[in-house]
Amino acid sequence: MRKKFVAGNWKMFTTSATARQLAAAVVRGLGDEQGVAVAICPPFPYLSIVAETLQGSRVVLGAQNCYHEQEGAFTGEVSPAMLVDVGCRYVILGHSERRHKLGETDAFINRKVHAALAAGLDVILCLGETLEERQAHRTEAVLEAQLMGSLAGLEAAALRRMVLAYEPVWAIGTGQNATPQQAQQAHAFIRGHIRQHFGAEAASALLIQYGGSVKPDNAASLFHQADVDGGLIGGASLNADHFLAIVRAALA
Ligand code: PGA
């Protein structure tokens, strides 16, 4: 039985004050609940502040991106080693906003995956098709290409330190979530790909989160699908009550 994992992606929101408050409210609300794993991923400037707030709690810290070198003359970039240093356990890579708004390619994401794992971070790797691609019946082809590209050169053992997040681009921040059946179908396809390329053990242990307009009222039906192992939550993670309701939906 895979334990469900819910992560909050705060994107480019919060201030130092609201980040601290939000993290504290999540910690309070979660208490010592152990039935679900929970992470929050604040913007870079607030990682240390949130790390302090999370100390001694069951909520772990993640970042939203990193560069693929551990240090050097890369103005404006943040290395995986720095994220480890400030207390991160996870890093989100390949988010669709970075793929589509900032032009990140699978090859670039792949370099970051290798660097993050080498530095000791666990990776939440995002995948997903655009509306146009879905309408052209290319969803599986797109997922296949993203998996091949961003997981290139990894051994099955590395998959143990990775979580995949299926996030259909048309569902992110739009209020239009995938139906539980659409999510299940994509998740089963992703797990099948992992089985084929990394073996049955890696596939059955792999956590695959769903992301894209997950809210308190649709979380349970998504999380009940056989291959949906929790969620990557954007908008709703900025409200502690909503985020905690989604976390509780993962326990049901
Ligand atoms: P959303 O974002 O929940 O606001 O749709 C999800 C994500 O981008 O990770």
Side-chain angles (χ1 to χ4, degrees):
M1 218 0 218
R2 295 182 294 268
K3 180 155 144 183
K4 292 211 175 359
F5 176 30
V6 177
N9 171 11
W10 293 1
K11 307 194 179 183
M12 203 171 72
F13 291 103
T14 69
T15 62
S16 53
T18 61
R20 195 181 276 117
Q21 283 160 12
L22 182 54
V26 171
V27 166
R28 252 194 329 274
L30 189 68
D32 67 355
E33 176 57 60
Q34 300 183 23
V36 56
V38 178
I40 51 182
C41 306
F44 288 140
Y46 309 136
L47 285 171
S48 291
I49 291 170
V50 171
E52 264 173 44
T53 310
L54 299 186
Q55 248 173 34
S57 83
R58 305 197 63 83
V59 182
V60 302
L61 187 66
Q64 301 172 18
N65 181 38
C66 68
Y67 195 58
H68 60 77
E69 299 284 351
Q70 303 301 342
E71 66 173 8
F74 302 104
T75 302
E77 293 298 327
V78 172
S79 80
M82 290 170 182
L83 298 180
V84 171
D85 187 36
V86 296
C88 288
R89 155 97 184 273
Y90 286 98
V91 63
I92 298 172
L93 295 175
H95 191 279
S96 74
E97 284 149 15
R98 301 203 62 85
R99 290 176 185 270
H100 297 289
K101 296 181 182 172
L102 294 154
E104 291 197 3
T105 62
D106 286 311
F108 186 49
I109 294 162
N110 179 246
R111 286 204 291 275
K112 300 188 198 206
V113 170
H114 281 273
L117 292 172
L121 287 168
D122 289 357
V123 172
I124 300 175
L125 174 72
C126 303
L127 316 156
E129 81 288 358
T130 63
L131 185 59
E132 221 170 44
E133 290 162 344
R134 174 162 284 265
Q135 286 170 342
H137 307 287
R138 295 191 51 239
T139 298
E140 294 188 352
V142 168
L143 294 177
E144 174 89 18
Q146 290 176 339
L147 286 162
M148 292 302 285
S150 44
L151 298 179
L154 294 177
E155 305 284 337
L159 266 287
R160 277 193 230 125
R161 298 191 26 232
M162 295 191 66
V163 173
L164 300 187
Y166 170 62
E167 299 206 307
V169 179
W170 47 273
I172 297 178
T174 59
Q176 189 195 349
N177 63 294
T179 64
Q181 293 69 29
Q182 285 171 322
Q184 169 56 27
Q185 207 174 5
H187 284 227
F189 175 80
I190 292 168
R191 201 178 302 283
H193 173 99
I194 298 298
R195 189 174 301 114
Q196 195 185 337
H197 293 268
F198 296 93
E201 209 181 305
S204 70
L206 179 71
L207 296 183
I208 309 176
Q209 296 176 322
Y210 169 79
S213 297
V214 179
K215 307 288 176 211
D217 61 356
N218 62 24
S221 59
L222 288 158
F223 295 169
H224 282 155
Q225 301 302 307
D227 288 293
V228 178
D229 305 309
L232 182 55
I233 318 301
S237 73
L238 295 168
N239 175 307
D241 292 336
H242 293 180
F243 185 63
L244 288 162
I246 293 169
V247 168
R248 279 191 288 275
L251 285 165

